[in-house]
Amino acid sequence: MGGLDGLILPLEGEASWPPGEHSFASRPLFPGVLPDWVNNHVAQAVIGAVLVILFWLWMARGQSVVPGKKQTFGELAYDFVRNGIARDILGPEFRKYLPLLLALFSFILVNNLFGQFALFMFPTFSKIGFAWGLALVAWLVYNGAGIKKHGLFGYLKHATLPAGVPKFLWPLIIPLEFLSNIIVRPLTLGLRLFANLFAGHLVIVVFVVGGTMLLSTADQMGTAFPVPLLNVAGVVSILFSFAIFALELLVGSIQAYIFTVLTAQYVSSAIAEGH
């Protein structure tokens, strides 16, 4: 394996050719020394967390009344989450949840952007375990906030019994609302993030590897096959993959925003006075 396909799957080595489901498998970093869960994708998530922490520490230093370029960029990023998500959705109580929402947005965005960098070329959340791990954090936060606000039984009533529902419908509505608000929300929250990142990376792999195989096949066919046609198809496939890269960049940013917005909405519904 070499060329552009080697950049697309840089952490997998020669054994990853031809690509398949193993291209998404995690690789233990120190087999036999550390547990297998200490793998390249866990390291990637840790690197993402460190980058987020260092970024905001850097942005917090050297603040001035008249902001420079660095401070302006940091304030724009901060205000985007503070005003565009936390304050608009959570209202007066937004400040206590702002650090979580800012951390979620930053962490998801950085790990999604890893899919565009040659050292990684793999969006962390195309591994569903990481996506559901963040969904579990969101689940604990919004349920914890609701229980703190209403008490355990008050929150369960708040979450499962909308106001104004006739009593004869309670046996139908309460299980449906419980399933929707308590069980389904974290599953769909994680699945949405995973599916979009997984699909984007899979499409890139298909076009790059397909283009590479078309070009290598053209070299081997000699004059017994319309080689120019294979060359054109291979080049078009690889060029189209760059458009998919741009689309994945957009999708990764949108998914970071959507995950953060939904988390804020779930918290807002949990602490609301009326259902």
Side-chain angles (χ1 to χ4, degrees):
M1 181 179 68
L4 191 56
D5 49 293
L7 294 175
I8 294 298
L9 304 168
L11 301 181
E12 302 301 331
E14 295 293 332
S16 68
W17 188 264
E21 65 277 4
H22 55 270
S23 300
F24 290 84
S26 300
R27 176 170 55 85
L29 292 180
F30 304 101
V33 179
L34 293 177
D36 287 349
W37 63 263
V38 183
N39 53 56
N40 55 326
H41 297 139
V42 169
Q44 195 170 297
V46 171
I47 292 171
V50 170
L51 289 176
V52 169
I53 293 170
L54 292 177
F55 173 80
W56 287 113
L57 287 176
W58 179 50
M59 286 298 167
R61 296 184 60 184
Q63 296 290 302
S64 62
V65 177
V66 180
K69 292 181 179 179
K70 183 197 82 170
Q71 184 176 335
T72 300
F73 178 76
E75 289 179 354
L76 287 173
Y78 175 79
D79 288 343
F80 176 75
V81 178
R82 180 189 185 276
N83 300 332
I85 299 177
R87 188 184 66 183
D88 288 353
I89 295 175
L90 291 166
E93 299 188 63
F94 79 92
R95 286 182 177 84
K96 66 175 69 174
Y97 302 104
L98 178 57
L100 169 69
L101 297 176
L102 186 63
L104 276 178
F105 179 79
S106 304
F107 182 68
I108 295 172
L109 180 62
V110 167
N111 279 276
N112 289 352
L113 294 180
F114 281 159
Q116 279 73 44
F117 289 97
L119 290 176
F120 301 96
M121 293 307 301
F122 191 91
T124 310
F125 293 108
S126 59
K127 299 286 289 185
I128 196 168
F130 292 100
W132 273 341
L134 279 191
L136 177 61
V137 171
W139 183 84
L140 291 173
V141 169
Y142 79 75
N143 283 301
I147 292 171
K148 183 179 179 181
K149 180 71 175 288
H150 304 286
L152 176 59
F153 294 106
Y155 173 65
L156 288 175
K157 178 181 178 182
H158 174 79
T160 60
L161 188 59
V165 175
K167 287 187 178 182
F168 70 89
L169 288 178
W170 286 10
L172 176 63
I173 295 299
I174 290 176
L176 290 177
E177 288 290 307
F178 181 87
L179 183 65
S180 173
N181 296 331
I182 308 299
I183 306 299
V184 174
R185 274 184 178 179
L187 296 179
T188 56
L189 192 63
L191 188 61
R192 182 186 296 105
L193 179 62
F194 155 76
N196 282 278
L197 274 298
F198 177 85
H201 189 68
L202 182 62
V203 171
I204 287 176
V205 171
V206 167
F207 275 96
V208 171
V209 173
T212 302
M213 295 182 70
L214 285 170
L215 292 173
S216 61
T217 301
D219 293 337
Q220 299 169 8
M221 292 300 293
T223 58
F225 199 81
V227 173
L229 185 60
L230 290 178
N231 283 329
V232 169
V235 170
V236 168
S237 179
I238 291 177
L239 289 177
F240 193 74
S241 69
F242 288 99
I244 303 299
F245 267 114
L247 180 61
E248 189 181 22
L249 177 63
L250 176 63
V251 168
S253 302
I254 291 174
Q255 288 306 312
Y257 175 76
I258 290 175
F259 192 101
T260 310
V261 165
L262 289 176
T263 300
Q265 288 179 338
Y266 295 160
V267 172
S268 178
S269 66
I271 63 176
E273 292 296 340
H275 189 72

